[in-house]
Amino acid sequence: MSDLRDTDVEAAAGADDLEAVRDIREIAREAAAAGVPVPEAVATRHWLSPINRRRLALFRANRRGWWSFWIFLVLFVLSLFAEFIANDRPIIAYYKGEYLFPVFREYPESKFGGFLARTDFRDPFIQEEINRNGWMIWPPIRYSYDTVNNELPHPAPSKPAFLMTREEACSRYPKGVEDPGCTFGNLNWLGTDDHGRDVLARLIYGFRISVIFGLLLTLLSSIVGVAAGAVQGYTGGWLDLLFQRFIEVWTSIPTLYLIIILSAFFTPNFWMLLFIMLLFSWTALVGVVRAEFLRGRNFEYVRAARALGLSDMRIMFRHILPNAMVATLTFMPFILSGSITTLTALDFLGFGLPPGSPSLGELLKQGKANLQAPWLGLTGFIVVSVMLSLLVFIGEAVRDAFDPRKTFE
């Protein structure tokens, strides 16, 4: 009785008796509270099946992949709140008895005694006016990805602040070191690019847009690829043959040349690049899923499902697909890293995101064009290398976790 599993209880009850199973668990809990010995599996329900708990344990056992996952997750979550970390507008301000949230909305300068349609909160006049009648809370970095620093001590690209003395870094401010504007958040700790924009702020925003692009492309291409591979593998015959010939022709189209041609007619943007890359990246998983469905469609449980009158769609996506997803999931971290690399390469070549967008590839391009400013190329290279290394380590850990030889040891 001690080896009784939660899944065994549900399987014995049947799909129509799940409510009864839940009642049994309630009775078991009451009995346990009264001191009657009850098998733990009857009284409790695990949110993961035993095999998935084993896979999770294997993933956690790979310390490099486990810590890489958490480091990447923390970096990505922090980048989602980039506006609260690097911004040229205060997070919150209190002015003449009113709370303002410049990070969420624009305010006309007339509200503070000016005449412009948009308030520049970095303007010393605006800051003095607000501080005289209230207060402001700034992000740690007082630059957005497109903010130009007009107080650079050297012509752009300016070197990082940690390579300069405080007197040198504050030399362009009216009062020098004593100037209230020469604060920690106003210094360019990783330098500026050749337009005078803060490199650290552009790294944070560029990291976010790269990961979001990679995640969307990986998710959408996986959905299309899994569906196409499932139809091919399950159906077989002429449909499979024609589909394979179509994929061979489709993958032979040079994606880069197509993007170059389209960029001559349209200005590339995030969604246009995502759509174009999706047109050609969905084929990555078709072969793997097709092979799994070709193997799985002849299993006994599939024949039994057909004999019971289940529809092909239900058999494909309810019974065969969960088994095929084991091989699919091991590829997804590597597809994600490939998607991020593709966007970085397109930005480096000048066919990616629009000019001015925060991009790791554009930062690498500036480093190539400004060899006298090594901090541009080095920072971009380090961020891209660390990001891709983390994804590779995560992919290796996922691959080991889903390895049947280790799962069923």
Side-chain angles (χ1 to χ4, degrees), residues 2 8 13 23 113 126 157 169 186 204 217 240 290 293 296 335-336 349 366 379:
S2 60
D8 297 333
D23 294 338
I126 300 296
N186 275 333
I204 296 173
L217 183 57
D240 181 31
R290 172 179 172 270
F293 270 76
I335 296 176
L336 175 58
L349 296 174
Q366 287 200 30
T379 51

Side-chain angles (χ1 to χ4, degrees), residues 25 181 282 351:
R25 292 197 185 96
W282 62 271
F351 301 110

Side-chain angles (χ1 to χ4, degrees), residues 14 18 35 37 41 71 97 159 181 198 200 208 219 225 286 319 331 360 392:
L18 292 180
I71 293 172
K159 63 182 180 181
D198 187 69
L200 182 56
R208 179 176 69 177
L219 177 63
V286 172
H319 298 285
F331 279 91
L360 300 178
V392 169

Side-chain angles (χ1 to χ4, degrees), residues 83 128 145 163 168 291 349 371:
E83 284 79 9
E128 182 181 352
Y145 66 89
L163 297 178
E168 183 182 3
L349 296 174
L371 297 179

Side-chain angles (χ1 to χ4, degrees), residues 89 166 206 241:
R89 292 181 288 179
R166 182 167 178 80
L241 183 63

Side-chain angles (χ1 to χ4, degrees), residues 250-272:
W250 190 251
T251 54
S252 65
I253 299 176
T255 309
L256 178 60
Y257 291 157
L258 180 63
I259 294 177
I260 293 174
I261 293 172
L262 291 177
S263 63
F265 297 95
F266 308 99
T267 301
N269 55 47
F270 182 90
W271 298 108
M272 179 181 173

Side-chain angles (χ1 to χ4, degrees), residues 77-92:
V77 171
L78 288 176
S79 70
L80 292 178
F81 298 93
E83 284 79 9
F84 297 91
I85 301 174
N87 207 327
D88 56 1
R89 292 181 288 179
I91 299 175
I92 184 174

